[in-house]
Amino acid sequence: MNSQPASPTRRNFLVGAATMLGAGAMGIFPASAADAPESLREYAAKKGVLFGSAISNLQLRDAPYSSLLSEQCGIAVPENALKWAALRPTLASFDFSAGDALFQFAHFNNMLFRGHTLVWEQALPKWFQMTVNSVNARQIMLDHISQVVRHYAGKMHSWDVVNEAYRIEDGRPDGLKVTPWLQFIGPEYIEMAFHAAHEADPDAMLVYNENWLEPDDAIAEKKRQSVLAMLTNFRKRNVPIHALGTQSHIYAETNTTGPNYKRFLEQVSDLGLTILVTEMDIRDKQSNTDLGTRDRLIAKQYYDYLSFMLQFKALTAVLTWGLTDRYTWLAQAGSAAKGVPVRPLPYDEDLQPTPSWNAIRRAFEEAPGRSSRGGSA
Ligand code: G3I
């Protein structure tokens, strides 16, 4: 049941315009298509999908990398610059300099810009733990959302309003993760956050962003059911939520296209919600396999997973968590064995396209088209 019809707001127009404009607007492609570099942005835009990546201030100093981003991406998301740790030097102050610099990069390169993330229990500033308590947490959270969303009002494609609020292993019947936000405010912190974000920027698409929804296993299924219960409840009660972000940090060897995940995504679509792949990268568990074989394994998973996801007309954006293995967070967190280089992204550490680049291209080429608002075309 769609209690909030997708009104032709500026948000949709922006998304539509950027999607339709594709590479042309970037002004970086030579006049003749013949010598235009192939871009995932263009392949995706032909099907009404935005393709993009996480970006960071330090990485943009790498000129070849930043020009690759501007060539390949139609949307960008700050990897860290819009988290509390970056935005809030003190309880009384905000520092938007890093976020503003990334917005300028995106804007200059005709990319849409999305925000990550307004409420999370990680990447909190050092003062948080000794300052925030059950008396002031609600006001501090609402003030943060209001100030940050107002600062970027009218500039955001979407916001990850709340990130990773569920963890089945914490044992709660509702599946919620036990975080300071939950302990200090209660479960209602989530809907409070969405209302505050909507009040600060009525045109931004408001997203609930979650990890580990993809695997075909019992824990992921419990998580999907818990998240679906929240989304259903929110839509019924007109809580201003517009999309689900499924992070898609997946393993090459894991089944992430199973019937339970498919049914979940169908139910999310039936709620009238847009679906975004928000943080995709693919690591493997191989430790003594040759690079070529590993790359083929990872590329196959990119093709299989994106082909599966793109069957949903509600899916309107695919972002990878970085574009090159040179800067992936998995260099620390995700290698199968010590000294084994990770290969999770469409470009290798020399900024050369990996087999995954071609796999992503093929998935977009073979995907059904959709309007940029998502839902049935
Ligand atoms: O900026 C400081 C620097 O001043 C300091 O010298 C350095 C060493 O302590 O730390 C730097 O901050 C690091 C920050 O990344 C920027 O590089 C933090 O310690 C580090 O924890 C942080 O890691 C990020 C992590 O989220 C936690 O915020 C990763 O880069 C980022 O890729 C990762 O992204 C998350 C998404 O936000 C949510 N979904 C999962 C995803 C992967 O964990």
mmCIF file with all atom_site columns, all heavy atoms in Angstrom, residues 65-78:
data_model
loop_
_atom_site.group_PDB
_atom_site.id
_atom_site.type_symbol
_atom_site.label_atom_id
_atom_site.label_alt_id
_atom_site.label_comp_id
_atom_site.label_asym_id
_atom_site.label_entity_id
_atom_site.label_seq_id
_atom_site.pdbx_PDB_ins_code
_atom_site.Cartn_x
_atom_site.Cartn_y
_atom_site.Cartn_z
_atom_site.occupancy
_atom_site.B_iso_or_equiv
_atom_site.pdbx_formal_charge
_atom_site.auth_seq_id
_atom_site.auth_comp_id
_atom_site.auth_asym_id
_atom_site.auth_atom_id
_atom_site.pdbx_PDB_model_num
ATOM 1   N N   . TYR A 1 65 ? 42.402 9.791  -10.080 1.00 0.00 ? 65 TYR A N   1
ATOM 2   C CA  . TYR A 1 65 ? 41.244 9.129  -9.468  1.00 0.00 ? 65 TYR A CA  1
ATOM 3   C C   . TYR A 1 65 ? 40.031 10.045 -9.504  1.00 0.00 ? 65 TYR A C   1
ATOM 4   O O   . TYR A 1 65 ? 38.934 9.623  -9.854  1.00 0.00 ? 65 TYR A O   1
ATOM 5   C CB  . TYR A 1 65 ? 41.547 8.704  -8.032  1.00 0.00 ? 65 TYR A CB  1
ATOM 6   C CG  . TYR A 1 65 ? 40.376 7.995  -7.356  1.00 0.00 ? 65 TYR A CG  1
ATOM 7   C CD1 . TYR A 1 65 ? 39.756 6.901  -7.963  1.00 0.00 ? 65 TYR A CD1 1
ATOM 8   C CD2 . TYR A 1 65 ? 39.885 8.435  -6.131  1.00 0.00 ? 65 TYR A CD2 1
ATOM 9   C CE1 . TYR A 1 65 ? 38.674 6.255  -7.360  1.00 0.00 ? 65 TYR A CE1 1
ATOM 10  C CE2 . TYR A 1 65 ? 38.815 7.797  -5.524  1.00 0.00 ? 65 TYR A CE2 1
ATOM 11  C CZ  . TYR A 1 65 ? 38.220 6.709  -6.139  1.00 0.00 ? 65 TYR A CZ  1
ATOM 12  O OH  . TYR A 1 65 ? 37.143 6.085  -5.530  1.00 0.00 ? 65 TYR A OH  1
ATOM 13  N N   . SER A 1 66 ? 40.218 11.312 -9.200  1.00 0.00 ? 66 SER A N   1
ATOM 14  C CA  . SER A 1 66 ? 39.038 12.198 -9.183  1.00 0.00 ? 66 SER A CA  1
ATOM 15  C C   . SER A 1 66 ? 38.497 12.376 -10.601 1.00 0.00 ? 66 SER A C   1
ATOM 16  O O   . SER A 1 66 ? 37.281 12.482 -10.793 1.00 0.00 ? 66 SER A O   1
ATOM 17  C CB  . SER A 1 66 ? 39.363 13.529 -8.523  1.00 0.00 ? 66 SER A CB  1
ATOM 18  O OG  . SER A 1 66 ? 40.193 14.288 -9.324  1.00 0.00 ? 66 SER A OG  1
ATOM 19  N N   . SER A 1 67 ? 39.349 12.308 -11.612 1.00 0.00 ? 67 SER A N   1
ATOM 20  C CA  . SER A 1 67 ? 38.774 12.421 -12.972 1.00 0.00 ? 67 SER A CA  1
ATOM 21  C C   . SER A 1 67 ? 38.073 11.126 -13.361 1.00 0.00 ? 67 SER A C   1
ATOM 22  O O   . SER A 1 67 ? 37.061 11.148 -14.076 1.00 0.00 ? 67 SER A O   1
ATOM 23  C CB  . SER A 1 67 ? 39.838 12.806 -14.001 1.00 0.00 ? 67 SER A CB  1
ATOM 24  O OG  . SER A 1 67 ? 40.767 11.767 -14.136 1.00 0.00 ? 67 SER A OG  1
ATOM 25  N N   . LEU A 1 68 ? 38.531 10.004 -12.831 1.00 0.00 ? 68 LEU A N   1
ATOM 26  C CA  . LEU A 1 68 ? 37.824 8.723  -13.075 1.00 0.00 ? 68 LEU A CA  1
ATOM 27  C C   . LEU A 1 68 ? 36.441 8.772  -12.430 1.00 0.00 ? 68 LEU A C   1
ATOM 28  O O   . LEU A 1 68 ? 35.437 8.381  -13.037 1.00 0.00 ? 68 LEU A O   1
ATOM 29  C CB  . LEU A 1 68 ? 38.646 7.580  -12.484 1.00 0.00 ? 68 LEU A CB  1
ATOM 30  C CG  . LEU A 1 68 ? 38.197 6.154  -12.816 1.00 0.00 ? 68 LEU A CG  1
ATOM 31  C CD1 . LEU A 1 68 ? 38.307 5.881  -14.313 1.00 0.00 ? 68 LEU A CD1 1
ATOM 32  C CD2 . LEU A 1 68 ? 39.039 5.147  -12.017 1.00 0.00 ? 68 LEU A CD2 1
ATOM 33  N N   . LEU A 1 69 ? 36.385 9.324  -11.212 1.00 0.00 ? 69 LEU A N   1
ATOM 34  C CA  . LEU A 1 69 ? 35.084 9.455  -10.531 1.00 0.00 ? 69 LEU A CA  1
ATOM 35  C C   . LEU A 1 69 ? 34.151 10.335 -11.369 1.00 0.00 ? 69 LEU A C   1
ATOM 36  O O   . LEU A 1 69 ? 32.988 9.993  -11.604 1.00 0.00 ? 69 LEU A O   1
ATOM 37  C CB  . LEU A 1 69 ? 35.280 10.078 -9.148  1.00 0.00 ? 69 LEU A CB  1
ATOM 38  C CG  . LEU A 1 69 ? 35.867 9.195  -8.050  1.00 0.00 ? 69 LEU A CG  1
ATOM 39  C CD1 . LEU A 1 69 ? 36.319 10.050 -6.872  1.00 0.00 ? 69 LEU A CD1 1
ATOM 40  C CD2 . LEU A 1 69 ? 34.857 8.139  -7.586  1.00 0.00 ? 69 LEU A CD2 1
ATOM 41  N N   . SER A 1 70 ? 34.661 11.457 -11.860 1.00 0.00 ? 70 SER A N   1
ATOM 42  C CA  . SER A 1 70 ? 33.789 12.386 -12.598 1.00 0.00 ? 70 SER A CA  1
ATOM 43  C C   . SER A 1 70 ? 33.334 11.764 -13.920 1.00 0.00 ? 70 SER A C   1
ATOM 44  O O   . SER A 1 70 ? 32.255 12.055 -14.416 1.00 0.00 ? 70 SER A O   1
ATOM 45  C CB  . SER A 1 70 ? 34.517 13.707 -12.857 1.00 0.00 ? 70 SER A CB  1
ATOM 46  O OG  . SER A 1 70 ? 35.664 13.464 -13.636 1.00 0.00 ? 70 SER A OG  1
ATOM 47  N N   . GLU A 1 71 ? 34.146 10.860 -14.460 1.00 0.00 ? 71 GLU A N   1
ATOM 48  C CA  . GLU A 1 71 ? 33.785 10.191 -15.725 1.00 0.00 ? 71 GLU A CA  1
ATOM 49  C C   . GLU A 1 71 ? 32.747 9.095  -15.501 1.00 0.00 ? 71 GLU A C   1
ATOM 50  O O   . GLU A 1 71 ? 31.822 8.920  -16.288 1.00 0.00 ? 71 GLU A O   1
ATOM 51  C CB  . GLU A 1 71 ? 35.051 9.569  -16.307 1.00 0.00 ? 71 GLU A CB  1
ATOM 52  C CG  . GLU A 1 71 ? 34.879 8.740  -17.557 1.00 0.00 ? 71 GLU A CG  1
ATOM 53  C CD  . GLU A 1 71 ? 36.174 7.982  -17.852 1.00 0.00 ? 71 GLU A CD  1
ATOM 54  O OE1 . GLU A 1 71 ? 37.115 8.631  -18.360 1.00 0.00 ? 71 GLU A OE1 1
ATOM 55  O OE2 . GLU A 1 71 ? 36.233 6.776  -17.527 1.00 0.00 ? 71 GLU A OE2 1
ATOM 56  N N   . GLN A 1 72 ? 32.903 8.365  -14.412 1.00 0.00 ? 72 GLN A N   1
ATOM 57  C CA  . GLN A 1 72 ? 32.112 7.145  -14.225 1.00 0.00 ? 72 GLN A CA  1
ATOM 58  C C   . GLN A 1 72 ? 30.861 7.318  -13.366 1.00 0.00 ? 72 GLN A C   1
ATOM 59  O O   . GLN A 1 72 ? 29.983 6.458  -13.399 1.00 0.00 ? 72 GLN A O   1
ATOM 60  C CB  . GLN A 1 72 ? 33.001 6.061  -13.587 1.00 0.00 ? 72 GLN A CB  1
ATOM 61  C CG  . GLN A 1 72 ? 34.138 5.600  -14.482 1.00 0.00 ? 72 GLN A CG  1
ATOM 62  C CD  . GLN A 1 72 ? 33.651 4.855  -15.726 1.00 0.00 ? 72 GLN A CD  1
ATOM 63  O OE1 . GLN A 1 72 ? 32.713 4.050  -15.667 1.00 0.00 ? 72 GLN A OE1 1
ATOM 64  N NE2 . GLN A 1 72 ? 34.276 5.136  -16.852 1.00 0.00 ? 72 GLN A NE2 1
ATOM 65  N N   . CYS A 1 73 ? 30.795 8.400  -12.569 1.00 0.00 ? 73 CYS A N   1
ATOM 66  C CA  . CYS A 1 73 ? 29.732 8.480  -11.557 1.00 0.00 ? 73 CYS A CA  1
ATOM 67  C C   . CYS A 1 73 ? 28.705 9.580  -11.833 1.00 0.00 ? 73 CYS A C   1
ATOM 68  O O   . CYS A 1 73 ? 29.068 10.712 -12.144 1.00 0.00 ? 73 CYS A O   1
ATOM 69  C CB  . CYS A 1 73 ? 30.346 8.732  -10.182 1.00 0.00 ? 73 CYS A CB  1
ATOM 70  S SG  . CYS A 1 73 ? 31.450 7.404  -9.652  1.00 0.00 ? 73 CYS A SG  1
ATOM 71  N N   . GLY A 1 74 ? 27.440 9.217  -11.630 1.00 0.00 ? 74 GLY A N   1
ATOM 72  C CA  . GLY A 1 74 ? 26.370 10.208 -11.744 1.00 0.00 ? 74 GLY A CA  1
ATOM 73  C C   . GLY A 1 74 ? 25.830 10.623 -10.379 1.00 0.00 ? 74 GLY A C   1
ATOM 74  O O   . GLY A 1 74 ? 24.960 11.478 -10.275 1.00 0.00 ? 74 GLY A O   1
ATOM 75  N N   . ILE A 1 75 ? 26.359 9.952  -9.326  1.00 0.00 ? 75 ILE A N   1
ATOM 76  C CA  . ILE A 1 75 ? 25.951 10.288 -7.959  1.00 0.00 ? 75 ILE A CA  1
ATOM 77  C C   . ILE A 1 75 ? 27.129 9.950  -7.042  1.00 0.00 ? 75 ILE A C   1
ATOM 78  O O   . ILE A 1 75 ? 27.916 9.049  -7.345  1.00 0.00 ? 75 ILE A O   1
ATOM 79  C CB  . ILE A 1 75 ? 24.659 9.523  -7.540  1.00 0.00 ? 75 ILE A CB  1
ATOM 80  C CG1 . ILE A 1 75 ? 24.168 9.979  -6.178  1.00 0.00 ? 75 ILE A CG1 1
ATOM 81  C CG2 . ILE A 1 75 ? 24.854 8.021  -7.614  1.00 0.00 ? 75 ILE A CG2 1
ATOM 82  C CD1 . ILE A 1 75 ? 22.750 9.467  -5.838  1.00 0.00 ? 75 ILE A CD1 1
ATOM 83  N N   . ALA A 1 76 ? 27.243 10.727 -5.972  1.00 0.00 ? 76 ALA A N   1
ATOM 84  C CA  . ALA A 1 76 ? 28.356 10.493 -5.036  1.00 0.00 ? 76 ALA A CA  1
ATOM 85  C C   . ALA A 1 76 ? 27.827 10.594 -3.611  1.00 0.00 ? 76 ALA A C   1
ATOM 86  O O   . ALA A 1 76 ? 26.835 11.288 -3.350  1.00 0.00 ? 76 ALA A O   1
ATOM 87  C CB  . ALA A 1 76 ? 29.473 11.515 -5.263  1.00 0.00 ? 76 ALA A CB  1
ATOM 88  N N   . VAL A 1 77 ? 28.508 9.883  -2.719  1.00 0.00 ? 77 VAL A N   1
ATOM 89  C CA  . VAL A 1 77 ? 28.167 9.920  -1.290  1.00 0.00 ? 77 VAL A CA  1
ATOM 90  C C   . VAL A 1 77 ? 29.455 10.031 -0.487  1.00 0.00 ? 77 VAL A C   1
ATOM 91  O O   . VAL A 1 77 ? 30.419 9.305  -0.755  1.00 0.00 ? 77 VAL A O   1
ATOM 92  C CB  . VAL A 1 77 ? 27.366 8.660  -0.866  1.00 0.00 ? 77 VAL A CB  1
ATOM 93  C CG1 . VAL A 1 77 ? 28.156 7.366  -1.125  1.00 0.00 ? 77 VAL A CG1 1
ATOM 94  C CG2 . VAL A 1 77 ? 26.944 8.759  0.597   1.00 0.00 ? 77 VAL A CG2 1
ATOM 95  N N   . PRO A 1 78 ? 29.535 10.947 0.467   1.00 0.00 ? 78 PRO A N   1
ATOM 96  C CA  . PRO A 1 78 ? 30.735 11.033 1.305   1.00 0.00 ? 78 PRO A CA  1
ATOM 97  C C   . PRO A 1 78 ? 30.907 9.762  2.130   1.00 0.00 ? 78 PRO A C   1
ATOM 98  O O   . PRO A 1 78 ? 29.957 9.356  2.822   1.00 0.00 ? 78 PRO A O   1
ATOM 99  C CB  . PRO A 1 78 ? 30.478 12.239 2.193   1.00 0.00 ? 78 PRO A CB  1
ATOM 100 C CG  . PRO A 1 78 ? 29.474 13.053 1.450   1.00 0.00 ? 78 PRO A CG  1
ATOM 101 C CD  . PRO A 1 78 ? 28.615 12.050 0.740   1.00 0.00 ? 78 PRO A CD  1
#
